[in-house]
Amino acid sequence: MNRPLVQTWRALRARPTTTTHARAYARRRVGYSIEELESEQVPLIKQVQEIVHPSQHTQLQKTRTISQTADSDSLGFVLEAELHRRRKEAFKQLHELYDHIQGGHRLKDREPEQTDHEQQKLSRTEYGAFLEGFVEMGDIKGSVRVLRDMRESGTQPVNTQYAMVMRAAANAFRAPEVFAVGEEMQRAGVEDYSGFFNSLLRCLGRSGQIEYAYAVYLEMTERRVEPQGPGSAALIVGLAQIGEVDISLQVMKATLGRGTTLGQDVFMGLLHEAGIHMHHAAYVFAFRQLTDVFGAQLPEGDSLAGLDVAARAGDVALAGEIVERLRQSNTPLEEKHFEPLLAAVLARKQWMPAMRVLNMMRQAGYGKAAATLRPLERAVANAEEPEQLAETVFAVVTDCRNEQTLAVDHVTLDALVSGLAQSGCVEAAASRLATWYAQLGVVRSTSSYECVIEGCVARRNKTVAERMLMQLIDERLQPSQRIYEAMIHIALLQPNYEDAFVYLEAMKAHAMVPAWRTLAAIVRRCARVRDVRAQTALKEMRRLGLVVTPVLASFAQNAGRSPRNMGALKSSETEPKDVSLNDLFDNDSFRV
C-alpha cells in the first residue's frame, strides 16, 4: 500500500467518531467446518457460545424471577436493566476467557527456551469462535485483537473474517477500527481492499464525515475499486446535505453508470436537497428517476420546491408536469402552485401561454393581486428595449382578449406600465396609460397611476408626476397614501421643496399617517439647509410613536452633518481672517 494512503489513514484515525445510531452486529460463523465442530475443540467453542448466547433455560429462569419480584409498571425498565447487566457481564466473561486461554499461548509471551513444537496455539476454529463472539458483543477492538493474534500465531484470517469485522465496525460508525482492520490486512499481505474501502466509505458517509468519505471515494476511483451501493448512497445523500449538490449528482451518475442499483430514498434525498439549494439539473435528474423508474408520488413540499426551481430556471415543462401530477393526486391547487408556473412561462417570454395560465388562475379565483405579475413587470423593466418589449406583450394581450377574457384587466396593464416606469421611460408609461386602457376598454384605477408616479421618483420627474396626479383627480379617483408619499419624495428632490408640505397636509386631511421613511426624508432635507421645520418633523414623529434614531436626531441637530464627520470638520475649521478691500484688489486675480 502506498504512502499517501497510509498518511490518509493516520489522519482519519486521529479524528474521533461518535456513535449516533443503533449498532448492527454481523451474525455469521466463518472459519471452521462441521468436522472441526465434532473434534475435541468443541467444548471451548460451546463455552464461548454459552457466554455470548445463554441457553433459553437460563434466560427463562432469570426472567421468571424478575417478573415475580418487580411491579407491573416497572417491569419493562427492570427487564431492560437486566439485559444491559447481562450483556456487560458476558462482555467481561468473554474477555477473561480469552485472556486466560491466550495469555499462555501468545508467541511474544512464551519463554525463550520454549520451542515452536511446545508452543500451543489456538486453532482456526477457536479463533473464529472468539472472533464471532466479540463481534456479537459489539467489541470491535476485541475483534481486531483476535485478528492480530491470528496473524502473529501464523493462522491467516480468511477474507470473510476481515469483512465481518469491518462490516460490524462500519455499522457502528467506528472509523478507527475500520482502519485498524485495514492495517491488519496490509500486514497480512491481503491484496483485495474492496471490502475495506467500501466499509470505510459507508462508515464515514453515515457518520456525517462527508469530506473524508469523498476523499476515500476518490482514492477508490484511482485504484479502480468499485464502490458498493450502501457506501455510495450514504455519500450521495451526505454531499447533497452539505450543499455539494453538483458533486452529489456526479457521484450518482457515476454509480448508476457502473450498474449499481440505488434505492428510492437516495433519489428522494437528492431531490429534497436540490429543491432547497435551487439546483435545477439535480432536481430534474432525481425527478425523472422517481417518476419514470419508481413511479413515486412526490410530497407537496418537494413539489412546491420543484416549482420554485422551475420558475427560476424557466423550465415550463417541469413546472407543468409538477402541477399536473398534483392535480392527478387530488391535491387542491392554490395560488402557490400556479404562481411558479406563471413565472416559468414569463421567464421564457412565452406570452400567450402566460395569458392562458393567468386566465386559468383567474377562473380559480387567484392571481388578482399585483404581486402575481411581478415577473412580467421585472421582465419589462430589465429589458434592453423596454418600450419594444411592452408593445409586444400588449399586442399578445390584445389578440387574446376574446379568448382569455379574465387575463385582460387593469392588473395586467398595470404591470406593463409599471415596468416601463421603472425602466426610466416615464413619458412612455404616461402615454401608454392614456392609450392602452382606452383601446382595450379597461377602466384605470388608482393603482394604475401609482405605477407611473412611483416611477417618477427615481427620475425626479416632477412634471409627469403632477400631470398624472391631475388626471387622477379629474377622473374622480382618490389618491392613495403611496401616491402622496411619492409626490412628497419627488418634491423633496427639487430645489424648492415647499410642495412636500402641501402633500403632507393633504395626507393628514385624509386621515393618513405618514410612514417613517417619509418623515425621515423631510427631516434630512430640512436639516441640510438648516430649516427649523426639521425639528418640527422630529416632534411629529415622536407624537405618532415613530422611532427617532440617534443618528437622525444628531443629523437634524448638527445641520445635516453626520456625527462621525463632525470631528474632522471641527479640526479643519480655522478662525476667519479680516481682509481689507485694498488687500483684495491688490491680488493679481482681481486685476484687469
Side-chain angles (χ1 to χ4, degrees):
M1 187 168 296
N2 58 8
R3 185 177 180 183
L5 180 58
V6 175
Q7 293 176 352
T8 305
W9 285 0
R10 291 174 180 173
L12 292 179
R13 288 185 63 186
R15 182 183 178 91
T17 58
T18 58
T19 301
T20 56
H21 297 76
R23 294 177 175 178
Y25 305 111
R27 305 190 62 177
R28 296 180 57 191
R29 290 183 172 89
V30 293
Y32 52 88
S33 60
I34 300 297
E35 290 77 13
E36 291 174 319
L37 285 174
E38 296 176 352
S39 64
E40 67 277 7
Q41 299 165 348
V42 172
L44 178 59
I45 298 175
K46 287 187 176 180
Q47 187 175 1
V48 174
Q49 293 177 352
E50 181 63 27
I51 294 175
V52 179
H53 303 290
S55 63
Q56 295 184 359
H57 175 73
T58 304
Q59 294 181 8
L60 290 175
Q61 186 176 5
K62 291 183 178 180
T63 304
R64 188 181 299 108
T65 303
I66 294 174
S67 302
Q68 293 175 356
T69 57
D71 298 334
S72 57
D73 296 336
S74 60
L75 180 60
F77 299 99
V78 175
L79 290 176
E80 185 176 354
E82 174 62 22
L83 179 62
H84 177 71
R85 186 197 64 79
R86 186 185 304 168
R87 291 188 62 85
K88 187 175 181 180
E89 181 181 354
F91 180 87
K92 181 179 179 181
Q93 291 177 359
L94 186 62
H95 269 278
E96 290 178 352
L97 178 62
Y98 185 74
D99 292 339
H100 174 71
I101 295 177
Q102 186 68 9
H105 301 311
R106 298 181 64 180
L107 295 176
K108 65 179 182 179
D109 295 336
R110 68 179 180 179
E111 298 297 331
E113 65 275 4
Q114 193 174 11
T115 63
D116 292 338
H117 179 71
E118 296 174 344
Q119 172 67 30
Q120 299 179 0
K121 298 185 297 183
L122 293 179
S123 66
R124 181 183 300 275
T125 308
E126 293 173 333
Y127 275 123
F130 278 107
L131 184 64
E132 179 187 354
F134 282 119
V135 171
E136 290 283 347
M137 299 301 299
D139 186 6
I140 311 300
K141 292 184 178 180
S143 303
V144 176
R145 176 189 173 189
V146 174
L147 291 176
R148 184 181 66 250
D149 292 341
M150 292 178 67
R151 177 180 55 79
E152 292 177 353
S153 64
T155 304
Q156 179 63 34
V158 296
N159 291 338
T160 52
Q161 290 176 326
Y162 286 119
M164 178 177 62
V165 180
M166 284 190 297
R167 190 180 303 110
N171 290 336
F173 314 118
R174 305 284 293 275
E177 279 73 13
V178 176
F179 278 113
V181 177
E183 291 178 350
E184 284 299 321
M185 294 174 65
Q186 181 185 11
R187 295 190 183 98
V190 179
E191 297 181 356
D192 184 13
Y193 288 95
S194 60
F196 162 73
F197 278 115
N198 281 288
S199 298
L200 182 61
L201 180 63
R202 181 185 179 188
C203 173
L204 294 174
R206 304 187 82 178
S207 61
Q209 304 181 58
I210 307 302
E211 295 85 354
Y212 293 119
Y214 185 63
V216 173
Y217 175 81
L218 294 178
E219 183 73 21
M220 295 174 68
T221 304
E222 292 181 2
R223 292 172 172 268
R224 297 182 179 179
V225 177
E226 182 176 346
Q228 297 177 356
S232 299
L235 179 61
I236 290 169
V237 177
L239 285 171
Q241 289 176 348
I242 64 174
E244 299 292 345
V245 185
D246 281 327
I247 302 178
S248 178
L249 181 61
Q250 294 175 6
V251 175
M252 174 175 283
K253 289 183 177 180
T255 303
L256 296 176
R258 290 189 297 266
T260 306
T261 303
L262 297 175
Q264 180 178 340
D265 56 334
V266 181
F267 293 100
M268 192 65 73
L270 178 61
L271 178 84
H272 181 73
E273 297 300 329
I276 293 176
H277 296 92
M278 303 296 288
H279 197 286
H280 178 251
Y283 189 93
V284 171
F285 185 83
F287 179 80
R288 295 303 175 196
Q289 292 289 330
L290 288 170
T291 56
D292 299 343
V293 179
F294 294 96
Q297 180 64 39
L298 303 183
E300 186 178 2
D302 291 332
S303 298
L304 289 173
L307 288 173
D308 292 337
V309 173
R312 173 173 291 188
D315 193 341
V316 181
L318 177 61
E321 187 173 352
I322 292 176
V323 172
E324 180 63 22
R325 287 184 174 274
L326 289 172
R327 187 186 63 81
Q328 292 177 359
S329 62
N330 297 325
T331 301
L333 296 179
E334 301 177 2
E335 192 168 10
K336 61 184 178 181
H337 301 118
F338 287 110
E339 283 188 347
L341 176 60
L342 179 62
V345 177
L346 291 173
R348 288 293 180 181
K349 297 184 179 180
Q350 299 178 2
W351 312 121
M352 185 60 73
M355 292 300 104
R356 296 194 187 101
V357 175
L358 182 60
N359 187 75
M360 183 171 56
M361 293 179 64
R362 300 281 174 80
Q363 289 176 351
Y366 305 120
K368 298 179 181 180
T372 304
L373 290 174
R374 203 73 72 192
L376 176 60
E377 180 182 328
R378 288 194 296 266
V380 176
N382 299 329
E384 295 182 0
E385 298 292 338
E387 295 188 44
Q388 182 179 354
L389 180 59
E391 288 290 349
T392 302
V393 178
F394 178 75
V396 174
V397 174
T398 304
D399 294 339
C400 68
R401 59 180 175 177
N402 295 327
E403 298 177 358
Q404 316 295 335
T405 56
L406 297 179
V408 181
D409 60 354
H410 73 91
V411 178
T412 306
L413 297 180
D414 289 351
L416 295 175
V417 173
S418 178
L420 280 174
Q422 290 182 11
S423 66
C425 304
V426 289
E427 293 285 353
S431 175
R432 269 62 172 191
L433 184 64
T435 57
W436 282 353
Y437 293 78
Q439 184 176 343
L440 295 180
V442 177
V443 179
R444 289 184 289 266
S445 64
T446 303
S447 60
S448 305
Y449 289 96
E450 285 178 359
C451 302
V452 182
I453 295 176
E454 289 181 344
C456 294
V457 177
R459 306 297 297 180
R460 301 188 179 187
N461 197 326
K462 183 180 179 183
T463 304
V464 176
E466 290 180 343
R467 187 169 74 244
M468 292 295 100
L469 182 60
M470 292 300 102
Q471 291 182 11
L472 173 71
I473 297 175
D474 291 342
E475 294 184 8
R476 299 183 182 277
L477 296 175
Q478 175 62 41
S480 62
Q481 181 171 347
R482 292 177 57 183
I483 291 179
Y484 279 125
E485 290 185 343
M487 296 301 299
I488 291 174
H489 285 284
I490 294 173
L492 292 175
L493 295 173
Q494 309 302 319
N496 184 2
Y497 57 91
E498 292 299 324
D499 289 343
F501 296 96
V502 176
Y503 297 125
L504 181 63
E505 294 301 324
M507 288 184 65
K508 296 179 180 179
H510 290 88
M512 297 179 184
V513 178
W516 183 92
R517 174 174 173 266
T518 302
L519 291 177
I522 294 176
V523 172
R524 293 191 182 96
R525 183 67 177 88
C526 294
R528 289 191 181 97
V529 294
R530 300 185 179 183
D531 190 339
V532 295
R533 286 177 290 187
Q535 299 297 330
T536 306
L538 284 177
K539 293 180 181 179
E540 183 70 12
M541 293 179 68
R542 293 188 179 95
R543 186 184 67 82
L544 295 174
L546 301 177
V547 178
V548 178
T549 61
V551 176
L552 183 63
S554 177
F555 191 86
Q557 183 178 0
N558 297 324
R561 296 178 181 178
S562 177
R564 60 185 178 183
N565 296 331
M566 289 300 297
L569 292 174
K570 289 180 180 180
S571 62
S572 62
E573 291 178 355
T574 58
E575 293 296 331
K577 294 172 59 177
D578 294 333
V579 182
S580 62
L581 292 178
N582 294 329
D583 295 337
L584 181 63
F585 287 108
D586 286 341
N587 195 330
D588 295 339
S589 301
F590 292 92
R591 290 178 180 176
V592 180

